Amino acid sequence: MRRITWAPDGKSLVFSADRDGDEQYRLYRIGLDDEQPTDISFGTDCQRILATSPFSADSRYLAYAANDRDPTVQDVLVRDLTDDHERRFAPPPGVVFEPQGISPDGRWLLTAGFRSNSDIATYLIDLHGEGEPVCVTTVYGEGLYEPGPWMADSSGFYLITDRWGEFKAAARYHLDDGVLETLAEPEWDVEHIDANGETVVWSVNHGGRSVLHGFHEGEHLPLPEMPPGVVAALALAPGADPVVLLFDSATRPVELAVMDPATGFRYLTDTRPSALRVIEPVAPDAVTYPASDGRRIHALLYRPHGPRPCPVVLSIHGGPEAQERPGYLRAGLYQHLLAQGIAVLAPNIAGSTGYGRTHQRLIYRDWGGIDLDDLDHATRCLRTIPDIDADRVAVMGGSYGGFAALSCLARLPFPWAAGVSLCGPSDLVALARACPPTWKHFVATVLGDPDTDGESLARRSPMAHADAISAPLFILQGARDPRVPCATSDQLVSRLRARGIDVRYEVFEDEGHGFTNRANEIRAYEAIADFLTRYLAASP
C-alpha cells in the first residue's frame, strides 16, 4: 500500500497498491461495511498516483495520475465515482503531471508539473470547461512552484516555491489577479504546508530539524517549540487547535503527535521497541567539514556512549536529492550500531536538499564526480576526530547511497573495513534505461541520457572500477526491482567473487526497490547490523 485517503463524507477510503514492489499501482476502494476492497482501476497495471487530496468536497470525483495511455506520459485523470466516467488531461512534452487537489467549490484541479525535483510548475485545470491545463507560474520563469492546499473560499491556493532565492518559501497564489506573495522570507527550506479556514501552518527544515510557523486570521500564530526531530507530515484540525503531526526523531520511531498552541507538544502514540527502553539512545551532533571550492558540508555525527576511539560507519542517504536528518533511520539500525560501540557519520554531500538549490543541483549529470569528492573529504574529516578510529571505517548506503558506497569502495584510496549496498546501482547506463518511462526527461536532466551520455555514465559506474574493490561487501537486492536490474548486481557479485573478494549477497524474491514487507525489512537490517559489527566491533 502506497497512498491512502478517506473520502470527505467518511463513508469509504481509496488507496493505491502494487505487488511485491513492482511499482505498477492499482487503485482500490473500500467502504465501512465492505469486507474486501474493490479494484477501481481501468486497464492494465501502470504507475497510478493518487492526488495528495484526491477527492472533491462532495466525495463524487477522484483525481489521480497514470501512464496507461502512453508508458512515457503521465496524464491526470478525474473519475466520476457515480458512473465511472473519466476525463483525461495530458501534460506538455517533457512534463510529468501529478495532481494536488480539487478546489472546495469543485471547479479547479490543482496540478504539479515536474521536469525535475528542482523544476516544478503549477497548472490549473478548469473542471467546468473544456480547455487544456494552464500553467499559472510560467510568468515567474523556471524554478520550483510546488502546489499545496486550497484556500477555503477557492480564491487561491498555498504553495512552496524558491521564487525569491536559494531556499523554499511558503507562499500563496490568488486566482483573480495572478499575484504570488510570500508568507515569510525564507532562511531555510519550507517542507510542508497545510491550511484550514483562516489558519495556515508550515514546517521549516532548519538545518535538518523541523520548526513550525503559522498565521491565523492574518496574524502570526505563536507555536511552542518542538523537540529536535523531523515533521514527516502535518494536518490542521478545525480551528488549528491542535496541529496534528507525524513526528520522527533520532531517538524514537515515527509517532503521531500534536502541537497545541496552548499546551505545547505531546505524543499520542508510543511505538518504541523494547530495546530503546533499556538503552540510552543517542542523538546526533550537527557538524561541518571542508570540501572543494571553499564549500562546507553539513553532516550528522552519532557518537556511542562506549569506549573511545570507536569504529565508524560512513552512511550515505539515497536520492541523491534527499537529506540526512535526525530521524529514526533504517528501522533503528543507527541506534543498534551505537549500542555496539560503532559511531555513524552521515553527510549531506553535493546533491542533498536542505541547503539551497545550488547545492542540490551540483550533482546534476555528475554522479560519481563532485559527490565522490565530498565523500573523499569526509574520510579526511574522520581522520581528524580524536575519538574515531580511522582504521576501522565502513561505508553504507541504499539506492543512490548504495551507488555512492560502491563508488567509495572502488574509487577512493581508503582502507575500508567493509561496505554495504542496499539496492544500489552499479551500472549507471542500466539504471538510466531501467527507470520508469515517465522519468525519461527527469533522468536525462539529473543523471544523463543513456543514448548520448552513455560513455561518461559507464566511466563513472562502480562496475567499471570493480577490480579495485577489495573490502568485504554486503549487497542486498530486490528481485523485482524496476529501477536497479537484479542482473547488474548478479554481474558485480560474480566479478568480485571470481577475484576472491568476500561478498555476501542476498536477493529478496518478493521485493522491488526497497522494502514493502516489514518482515523482510527487519531481516535485512538485522543482517546488515551483524555484517558491520563483524568487521568493525573487534579491535584491529
Side-chain angles (χ1 to χ4, degrees):
M1 190 178 300
R2 296 292 181 168
R3 186 172 288 182
I4 185 169
T5 185
W6 280 100
D9 61 14
K11 296 180 180 179
S12 65
L13 56 82
V14 169
F15 63 91
S16 59
D18 64 353
R19 293 186 180 276
D20 297 332
D22 64 4
E23 299 184 7
Q24 299 297 295
Y25 306 111
R26 300 191 71 82
L27 303 181
Y28 299 87
R29 188 182 189 187
I30 186 168
L32 294 177
D33 299 324
D34 296 337
E35 294 184 1
Q36 295 292 332
T38 299
D39 187 343
I40 61 172
S41 308
F42 291 160
T44 59
D45 289 349
C46 67
Q47 290 170 310
R48 297 177 178 88
I49 300 175
L50 282 171
T52 305
S53 300
F55 284 100
S56 59
D58 60 4
S59 301
R60 177 175 176 176
Y61 295 100
L62 180 77
Y64 68 99
N67 65 335
D68 56 330
R69 176 181 61 87
D70 180 338
T72 67
V73 179
Q74 189 160 290
D75 298 333
V76 162
L77 296 102
V78 179
R79 171 85 59 86
D80 186 335
L81 294 173
T82 63
D83 60 11
D84 282 336
H85 173 73
E86 284 191 334
R87 293 184 64 187
R88 182 183 296 270
F89 304 92
V95 173
V96 174
F97 268 173
E98 187 166 329
Q100 163 65 28
I102 299 172
S103 59
D105 63 7
R107 177 173 180 180
W108 303 100
L109 173 60
L110 191 58
T111 297
F114 288 79
R115 291 187 181 272
S116 72
N117 283 337
S118 60
D119 185 359
I120 305 172
T122 297
Y123 289 78
L124 277 179
I125 297 173
D126 188 350
L127 299 180
H128 291 179
E130 299 296 331
E132 297 296 316
V134 175
C135 181
V136 297
T137 54
T138 299
V139 65
Y140 298 106
E142 179 185 330
L144 185 141
Y145 302 90
E146 186 174 357
W150 281 94
M151 297 179 194
D153 60 1
S154 301
S155 64
F157 55 88
Y158 297 96
L159 70 159
I160 296 173
T161 176
D162 61 3
R163 169 77 175 85
W164 295 284
E166 281 286 310
F167 294 96
K168 303 172 188 176
R172 57 187 161 206
Y173 180 92
H174 299 273
L175 296 186
D176 57 354
D177 56 13
V179 169
L180 179 65
E181 61 173 330
T182 181
L183 299 181
E185 289 296 325
E187 297 179 355
W188 294 92
D189 279 343
V190 171
E191 54 188 358
H192 303 289
I193 187 169
D194 195 29
N196 193 316
E198 294 299 316
T199 303
V200 57
V201 172
W202 62 95
S203 60
V204 174
N205 174 358
H206 194 282
R209 172 182 175 177
S210 293
V211 179
L212 287 182
H213 300 265
F215 282 106
H216 178 66
E217 296 182 344
E219 300 293 330
H220 175 70
L221 178 65
L223 292 167
E225 186 174 346
M226 295 187 299
V230 178
V231 171
L234 66 86
L236 291 179
D241 188 10
V243 183
V244 183
L245 308 170
L246 271 179
F247 191 74
D248 192 9
S249 72
T251 59
R252 186 167 177 162
V254 176
E255 307 274 15
L256 276 173
V258 294
M259 172 64 80
D260 190 302
T263 61
F265 176 94
R266 63 185 174 90
Y267 284 108
L268 295 178
T269 59
D270 188 347
T271 61
R272 287 174 292 176
S274 56
L276 278 187
R277 301 174 189 276
V278 297
I279 65 169
E280 183 182 354
V282 175
D285 295 321
V287 299
T288 64
Y289 65 84
S292 299
D293 302 322
R295 296 178 298 116
R296 294 198 68 84
I297 303 301
H298 293 255
L300 296 180
L301 177 59
Y302 297 76
R303 292 181 171 94
H305 298 301
R308 312 287 175 86
C310 57
V312 63
V313 173
L314 178 61
S315 181
I316 309 167
H317 65 68
E321 293 172 281
Q323 184 183 6
E324 190 75 30
R325 304 181 66 184
Y328 190 75
L329 301 175
R330 303 195 182 282
L333 176 61
Y334 284 11
Q335 294 299 331
H336 177 84
L337 293 173
L338 289 159
Q340 305 305 309
I342 299 171
V344 177
L345 178 69
N348 284 303
I349 56 178
S352 301
T353 55
Y355 305 95
R357 64 185 173 195
T358 298
H359 186 73
Q360 179 178 341
R361 292 183 178 185
L362 285 173
I363 199 173
Y364 280 19
R365 302 173 68 87
D366 194 26
W367 290 33
I370 191 170
D371 52 340
L372 189 60
D373 187 63
D374 286 355
L375 291 166
D376 185 27
H377 281 81
T379 64
R380 302 180 198 184
C381 170
L382 288 171
R383 293 187 178 101
T384 68
I385 302 175
D387 52 2
I388 294 296
D389 184 348
D391 292 325
R392 290 186 290 163
V393 180
V395 62
M396 170 183 72
S399 191
Y400 160 79
F403 158 80
L406 292 172
S407 296
C408 285
L409 296 172
R411 298 178 60 193
L412 293 185
F414 188 79
W416 301 102
V420 176
S421 171
L422 171 60
C423 59
S426 57
D427 183 335
L428 293 182
V429 177
L431 173 69
R433 294 196 186 284
C435 280
T438 53
W439 292 14
K440 183 177 181 180
H441 179 83
F442 172 86
V443 168
T445 300
V446 176
L447 175 59
D449 188 316
D451 296 323
T452 59
D453 304 312
E455 183 178 343
S456 63
L457 290 173
R459 186 172 60 252
R460 289 183 277 113
S461 295
M463 190 74 76
H465 307 273
D467 289 345
I469 295 177
S470 59
L473 177 60
F474 187 11
I475 294 178
L476 301 94
Q477 170 77 42
R480 298 169 63 86
D481 193 328
R483 308 183 206 176
V484 178
C486 189
T488 59
S489 292
D490 293 343
Q491 181 185 353
L492 179 62
V493 170
S494 294
R495 285 184 57 179
L496 295 176
R497 285 178 172 170
R499 292 177 40 235
I501 303 302
D502 181 4
V503 181
R504 177 174 177 178
Y505 187 34
E506 187 155 356
V507 177
F508 293 81
E509 297 298 333
D510 56 347
E511 294 287 4
H513 193 69
F515 295 105
T516 57
N517 183 305
R518 181 64 171 171
N520 285 344
E521 182 182 29
I522 296 299
R523 178 163 63 91
Y525 287 124
E526 285 179 344
I528 290 172
D530 290 344
F531 179 83
L532 291 172
T533 302
R534 172 186 171 191
Y535 287 101
L536 290 178
S539 299

